[in-house]
Amino acid sequence: MKEKIVIAGAGHAAGQVVATLRQKKHEGEIVLIGEEHWLPYQRPPLSKKFLAGEMPAERLFVKPPSFYEDPRITVKLDTTVEAIDCKKKTLRLSPRETVQYHKLVLALGSRVRRLPSLPGADLAGIHYLRNVRDVQAIQGDMQEGRNLVIIGAGYIGLEVAAVASGCGLNVTVVEMQDRVMKRVVAPQVSEFYQKEHRAQGVELRLKTGLKGFSGNGRVRSVQLSDGTEIPADLVVIGIGIVPNSELAAAAGLEVENGIVVDDRCRTSDGDIYAVGDCTFHPSAVMGCSIRLESVQNALEQARTAAANLCGEDLHYDQVPWFWSDQYDLKLQIAGVAQGYDSAIVRGARHERSFSCVYLNEGRILAVDAVNTPRDFLQAKKLIADRAVMDLGRLADSTIELKDLVV
Ligand code: FAD
């Protein structure tokens, strides 16, 4: 097909759309438009090895720069898509330009959730973490012996805590909930991670809110809801993300908790697809529509959309998976732990190798596998099969998960 395909956003999903279009020998022009200064890159290392200074920037790229040196590919970086005109099939860009498309892919990702206006929230030394520039700013402030306060004990906050404590900073994590990662894991898993972080010298302040920040131009302390004030040379805020769906809404596309797409990654306009963090999509495995913040989802939706743009009829129906690295602990998550009535731990937490299986009426929904890749791999298939498990023997980790199906 010779259609001109324009991709708005140049992140992880966008990079994969271009790669799949090329692999499928799309013959038309491809235009990639991104507001960042960088070619598509991976974000997971930003709170892990790249933050720790253990990974060079070149290794972040989804594809090397030479990959885009193709006469059919035009890359416009430092360029923002300001509006979509679905009738005229054009995009308005900044710097000022209008671009025509036959088919459009929205790969706009998400942005960090910002704190509500609090005293001192704009002081220097207060950081968010979403892109390479954010990491560079944090690294500039991250020196041994300094006091780092992290707001939010989700994946990103805890990964930063692990890296920073390894670099010799004094780390305090402030969390409103009564346990870490409460939104995504069972109490048994939270308890394990709390112990691990404390053992590494990280102070956890749970059930604690934030009142504001003090400092003279630069942050010096953080005031907490319990009336205490803790010293801070730098602050990292990790309180979640918001999908970039406003452009789509303004263009009249259907938007709910993200840009609504079907299982072919098509939006409510047949010529516009959407992929990655910005989408709200059907999940057959969960029986409802969901929004995911994960590389697996970004890559699989990108492959699906690109294949369909090349005339195939592919539908996206994968078991979601995710990972988080904290210290030497590899947490791999298959499925989504929502609506479970039991959470059973297999293996020994004190040996730092166990998994937690989430079930509803005996049916497996999700697994958190900590240093147990075998359980993770088997769980993906069992979740897809909606397997019913032998609850009486599930805690016995000497029996493989796949052998516990009834
Ligand atoms: P993005 O990668 O966010 O790309 C969207 C791009 O669109 C951005 O460059 C944005 O600037 C650009 N854009 C937005 N609006 C416009 C506009 N109007 N005009 C032009 N460009 C625009 N996932 C995992 O599975 N495992 C992990 O361990 C993990 N760790 C993470 C750690 C960090 C620090 C972060 C930030 C994310 C992590 N994630 C992880 C999530 C994962 O990186 C995202 O799910 C993935 O990047 C989504 O890809 P995307 O292309 O949809 O969005």
Side-chain angles (χ1 to χ4, degrees):
M1 271 191 234
K2 292 247 177 191
E3 286 183 324
K4 175 174 175 182
I5 298 174
V6 175
I7 305 159
H12 212 144
Q16 186 59 48
V17 172
V18 179
T20 306
L21 287 175
R22 281 200 57 175
Q23 185 201 343
K24 299 210 173 273
K25 312 237 180 305
H26 172 70
E27 289 173 358
E29 194 183 342
I30 300 168
V31 183
L32 180 65
I33 304 167
E35 66 187 1
E36 286 189 74
H37 184 63
W38 292 62
L39 285 167
Y41 63 89
Q42 316 166 53
R43 289 177 208 278
L46 301 188
S47 49
K48 308 178 183 75
K49 285 197 163 161
F50 185 67
L51 177 65
E54 292 167 6
M55 183 177 179
E58 308 82 72
R59 282 200 37 220
L60 292 177
F61 290 126
V62 173
K63 292 283 177 193
S66 58
F67 176 82
Y68 303 90
E69 288 163 11
D70 178 317
R72 283 163 305 173
I73 301 178
T74 306
V75 180
K76 292 175 186 289
L77 300 177
D78 298 310
T79 305
T80 304
V81 177
E82 288 193 331
I84 306 165
D85 187 328
C86 301
K87 285 210 181 97
K88 291 187 184 151
K89 292 192 168 194
T90 56
L91 300 181
R92 194 182 73 228
L93 310 184
S94 169
R96 206 171 169 75
E97 191 186 342
T98 303
V99 170
Q100 192 90 36
Y101 64 83
H102 292 119
K103 298 278 192 240
L104 174 64
V105 182
L106 300 175
L108 300 165
S110 47
R111 59 185 182 274
V112 291
R113 186 184 300 284
R114 300 214 158 243
L115 285 173
S117 64
L118 280 176
D122 53 358
L123 286 168
I126 299 179
H127 302 275
Y128 290 84
L129 175 43
R130 182 74 199 167
N131 56 42
V132 170
R133 208 168 280 170
D134 297 334
V135 179
Q136 288 165 340
I138 294 170
Q139 284 171 329
D141 281 348
M142 226 173 74
Q143 288 159 25
E144 194 176 343
R146 282 194 163 180
N147 297 310
L148 163 64
V149 177
I150 296 170
I151 311 298
Y155 294 125
I156 289 183
L158 294 180
E159 288 179 357
V160 173
V163 169
S165 69
C167 294
L169 282 87
N170 307 312
V171 183
T172 306
V173 179
V174 178
E175 168 59 57
M176 273 170 66
Q177 301 293 341
D178 57 354
R179 59 186 178 88
V180 304
M181 300 190 282
K182 184 169 184 173
R183 193 171 63 91
V184 281
V185 301
Q188 299 94 311
V189 182
S190 295
E191 271 164 36
F192 170 81
Y193 274 91
Q194 285 163 200
K195 257 193 199 155
E196 287 289 329
H197 279 279
R198 287 181 169 133
Q200 300 286 343
V202 171
E203 190 181 341
L204 298 178
R205 304 282 291 252
L206 304 174
K207 286 198 270 185
T208 308
L210 190 63
K211 271 196 172 158
F213 307 90
S214 301
N216 189 6
R218 192 181 163 86
V219 68
R220 283 284 159 250
S221 65
V222 179
Q223 282 108 37
L224 304 178
S225 58
D226 59 7
T228 54
E229 182 159 359
I230 50 176
D233 300 303
L234 71 151
V235 174
V236 174
I237 296 165
I239 54 169
I241 60 166
V242 183
N244 288 324
S245 51
E246 292 79 359
L247 263 183
L253 301 181
E254 195 185 337
V255 166
E256 242 178 82
N257 176 20
I259 304 169
V260 174
V261 292
D262 64 14
D263 62 353
R264 266 76 177 164
C265 299
R266 287 175 305 214
T267 68
S268 52
D269 179 318
D271 292 320
I272 305 181
Y273 290 67
V275 294
D277 278 14
C278 65
T279 67
F280 185 62
H281 60 272
S283 163
V285 99
M286 292 194 60
C288 61
S289 280
I290 53 172
R291 184 170 62 77
L292 292 171
E293 302 159 10
S294 86
V295 164
Q296 169 265 340
N297 176 62
L299 296 182
E300 291 300 336
Q301 282 195 317
R303 290 188 185 108
T304 304
N308 291 336
L309 283 162
C310 291
E312 293 179 26
D313 183 27
L314 204 66
H315 71 115
Y316 169 63
D317 175 21
Q318 309 262 335
V319 173
W321 59 264
F322 191 84
W323 76 95
S324 174
D325 299 335
Q326 297 168 40
Y327 311 107
D328 57 347
L329 300 165
K330 181 143 210 94
L331 169 61
Q332 293 171 294
I333 298 155
V336 180
Q338 260 173 35
Y340 62 93
D341 56 23
S342 57
I344 297 178
V345 171
R346 294 163 46 78
R349 277 178 281 181
H350 64 272
E351 285 173 9
R352 307 171 83 244
S353 169
F354 68 97
S355 56
C356 180
V357 184
Y358 299 84
L359 309 115
N360 184 286
E361 293 179 2
R363 203 173 291 282
I364 184 166
L365 297 177
V367 169
D368 297 335
V370 179
N371 292 343
T372 48
R374 183 183 294 181
D375 274 5
F376 169 70
L377 289 173
Q378 294 183 8
K380 281 204 282 187
K381 179 158 189 334
L382 296 174
I383 295 165
D385 293 346
R386 297 166 177 74
V388 175
M389 309 300 290
D390 180 345
L391 294 187
R393 296 192 303 153
L394 197 55
D396 184 349
S397 62
T398 62
I399 311 173
E400 292 201 27
L401 256 190
K402 67 178 170 49
D403 295 329
L404 287 166
V405 179
V406 290

